[in-house]
Amino acid sequence: MKKLSLAISKGRILDEALKLLSKSGIQCDESPYDSRKLIFNTNQKNLNIIIVRASDVPIYIESGKVDFGIVGKDTLLESNLANHIRVAKLNIASCKLVVAGLKGTKLKNNMKVATKYPSITKNFFQKLGYPCSVLKLYGSIELAAVLGLADVVVDLVDSGRTLKENGLTQLELIEDISSMLIVNKASYKVNRNQIEKFLTKINI
Ligand code: ATP
Ligand code: MG
């Protein structure tokens, strides 16, 4: 059997993904939290775990350098890469991608929209019939709506607490998000049995 490598997004997804794996007895040989390593052996002789930034996961899978990965649906939708198969929805790191703004804001033509997700945002507003201009930001997106740097924002929301504490509200739902397991297309062809065994092992 080939040694497969699994890329996991850093940040929130990593915590929940490691819990999901450890419930099924899959563990890294060192804690990714205490180590500077980027590639970990696991207690499964045919599995490596590679830890990468969320938005880089689809790129590694696209290239085939990594066989499969755990990544947010938000990142997949934004990336526009397609050399993979979405084999499972994992129901971890669940949240929503929404349009948010000051209460009472009405969506209209030509708004300025701040977001980490320019492609999703352009498409969504285009479909509504309100083409917009996008301002790409890298963090604390809500701030742009509070300070009037943008008319509205497109961002991930979980409990809604950040919106609430900053006087913002959800104006539209774009997509329900959770993490997905994606597999490089060629790797899926060659290693299908092994990947299906892995899915069974983690109860998917
Ligand atoms: P970086 O901080 O390095 O720019 P990032 O901000 O994309 O990376 P996270 O904030 O950990 O990293 O988000 C990674 C993924 O976790 C997102 O793509 C999304 O799928 C999921 N996620 C983000 N925010 C939430 C949330 N509030 N609740 C649940 N899942 C979330
Ligand atoms: Mg972050």
Side-chain angles (χ1 to χ4, degrees), residues 1-4 67-68 85-88 181 183-201 204:
M1 269 202 281
K2 194 198 153 199
K3 190 155 200 161
L4 297 183
D67 298 285
F68 58 156
I85 297 164
R86 295 182 193 181
V87 293
L181 189 77
V183 186
N184 171 272
K185 276 187 179 165
S187 176
Y188 190 67
K189 271 194 194 143
V190 178
N191 305 300
R192 188 168 180 159
N193 278 343
Q194 218 178 318
I195 284 161
E196 278 171 2
K197 272 194 197 135
F198 173 83
L199 290 176
T200 310
K201 192 166 171 71
I204 299 296

Side-chain angles (χ1 to χ4, degrees), residues 9 37 77 117-118 139 148 155 166 192:
S9 306
K37 274 190 175 175
L77 293 175
Y117 303 96
D155 201 10
N166 291 291
R192 188 168 180 159

Side-chain angles (χ1 to χ4, degrees), residues 37-133:
K37 274 190 175 175
L38 301 170
I39 303 179
F40 295 88
N41 284 312
T42 68
N43 60 351
Q44 315 292 303
K45 62 177 185 304
N46 299 312
L47 185 70
N48 268 339
I49 287 179
I50 299 181
I51 301 194
V52 293
R53 192 173 169 172
S55 48
D56 293 342
V57 172
I59 301 169
Y60 281 97
I61 307 303
E62 186 77 6
S63 72
K65 298 286 176 203
V66 176
D67 298 285
F68 58 156
I70 297 178
V71 63
K73 192 176 179 192
D74 51 313
T75 307
L76 283 184
L77 293 175
E78 184 64 23
S79 82
N80 283 321
L81 299 175
N83 189 24
H84 61 255
I85 297 164
R86 295 182 193 181
V87 293
K89 179 168 175 262
L90 296 178
N91 293 319
I92 59 170
S94 303
C95 54
K96 299 181 291 182
L97 188 64
V98 308
V99 182
L102 295 171
K103 281 175 200 104
T105 307
K106 295 265 178 295
L107 300 190
K108 55 181 197 223
N109 221 345
N110 245 335
M111 289 179 118
K112 197 175 195 187
V113 187
T115 186
K116 266 193 193 175
Y117 303 96
S119 168
I120 297 174
T121 299
K122 276 212 179 98
N123 290 337
F124 180 78
F125 277 81
Q126 191 72 45
K127 274 194 195 132
L128 283 183
Y130 299 140
C132 68
S133 69

Side-chain angles (χ1 to χ4, degrees), residues 114-159:
T115 186
K116 266 193 193 175
Y117 303 96
S119 168
I120 297 174
T121 299
K122 276 212 179 98
N123 290 337
F124 180 78
F125 277 81
Q126 191 72 45
K127 274 194 195 132
L128 283 183
Y130 299 140
C132 68
S133 69
V134 170
L135 175 64
K136 163 110 189 188
L137 294 179
Y138 298 88
S140 304
I141 312 297
E142 294 85 356
L143 191 58
V146 176
L147 295 183
L149 180 64
D151 298 306
V152 292
V153 299
V154 165
D155 201 10
L156 294 175
V157 174
D158 179 13
S159 65

